[in-house]
Amino acid sequence: MSAITLSGADFLREHLRARLTLVLLVAIPALFVVASASVLGEFATALGGSVAGDSASALGAGWAAAFLAGALGFFQVSSSREADRRLALAGMGAARVAVARICASVALGVLISAVAFLTLLLSAGASHPAHTFVAILIFALTYIGIGTLVGSFISGALEGSLTVAFIFLIDAFSGPGMSDSSSIAQVMPTRVAADVLIDAGAGIGSPIGDWIAVGLIAFGALALAAAAFWFSARPRST
């Protein structure tokens, strides 16, 4: 257990040591949240949606967390595949490497969500702070799963990051409040979390069924992420 804890902490520090990561942690939430109220509202109007005002700002915080978590989840798999295999072969095993990676990813997701939430709180406020933070965290955890899953199949940095960005764009602009194309929105991974976040931004509580749904989605995304980390760390037979 101590080996997993130490490795997870090392994996987290590995990301946070990169200056670009620290810059993005500040710049992306500011860009999405501060500019979102007007820009997202305009996009929503053009696409037939209705999100605006505080709900748009809250949704922007969710998308900021999703974008960062998806990108960092992808690079955590694609840039460390060989190192994780060496760790597994050295005696740690693929399963423990995967657990350490997923613990580091969850900690990173919490940090990303906290920064996005704080940016929202300072710029627009939050009528339901607890609901808002949890919904933002669900966005982050969901995209950790998406990013790591993409990273387990696509090794190229350009191809993989563009794939994550493509999924993100479809998800963002076809989701609740942004479009009247309900058929696409129904299969998007953050649909329920977006509903919760929009309601929280408007000062409305969400039903228990929605909270159960977002919890299951987050658990499923993390299970996918753990499987992706295990698959990447698994020693290959020669």
Side-chain angles (χ1 to χ4, degrees), residues 118-135:
L118 183 61
T119 304
L120 174 66
L121 205 60
L122 293 174
S123 63
S127 300
H128 280 285
H131 289 195
T132 302
F133 176 77
V134 172

Side-chain angles (χ1 to χ4, degrees), residues 25 108 151 190:
L25 276 173
L108 196 60
T190 58

Side-chain angles (χ1 to χ4, degrees), residues 6-230:
L6 289 172
S7 297
D10 287 339
F11 294 153
L12 182 60
R13 282 195 298 270
E14 175 188 352
H15 274 289
L16 297 180
R17 275 200 301 264
R19 292 182 180 179
L20 180 59
T21 300
L22 296 177
V23 170
L24 291 176
L25 276 173
V26 176
I28 296 298
L31 178 64
F32 275 75
V33 176
V34 175
S36 65
S38 59
V39 176
L40 284 181
E42 290 172 5
F43 271 112
T45 300
L47 294 171
S50 58
V51 69
D54 290 343
S55 292
S57 296
L59 192 57
W63 288 126
F67 182 83
L68 280 169
L72 293 177
F74 165 75
F75 284 111
Q76 191 168 189
V77 174
S78 65
S79 65
S80 61
R81 187 175 282 109
E82 293 303 321
D84 285 356
R85 286 176 188 167
R86 288 195 294 270
L87 275 174
L89 287 169
M92 190 171 178
R96 282 191 283 183
V97 171
V99 172
R101 281 286 179 193
I102 201 66
C103 289
S105 296
V106 171
L108 196 60
V110 172
L111 177 61
I112 289 169
S113 302
V115 173
F117 174 72
L118 183 61
T119 304
L120 174 66
L121 205 60
L122 293 174
S123 63
S127 300
H128 280 285
H131 289 195
T132 302
F133 176 77
V134 172
I136 292 171
L137 180 59
I138 296 299
F139 271 80
L141 297 181
T142 301
Y143 266 80
I144 284 171
I146 291 171
T148 53
L149 189 62
V150 170
S152 67
F153 289 102
I154 303 175
S155 57
L158 178 61
E159 296 89 341
S161 55
L162 286 177
T163 300
V164 174
F166 180 71
I167 295 170
F168 169 82
L169 289 173
I170 293 178
D171 196 6
F173 291 107
S174 65
M178 291 299 297
S179 172
D180 62 356
S181 181
S182 58
S183 58
I184 299 176
Q186 293 302 316
V187 297
M188 289 295 101
T190 58
R191 178 183 63 83
V192 183
D195 281 331
V196 171
L197 197 49
I198 289 170
D199 287 347
I204 302 170
S206 296
I208 188 64
D210 285 353
W211 289 110
I212 293 172
V214 294
L216 291 174
I217 290 168
F219 179 81
L222 292 178
L224 282 176
F229 285 128
W230 174 85

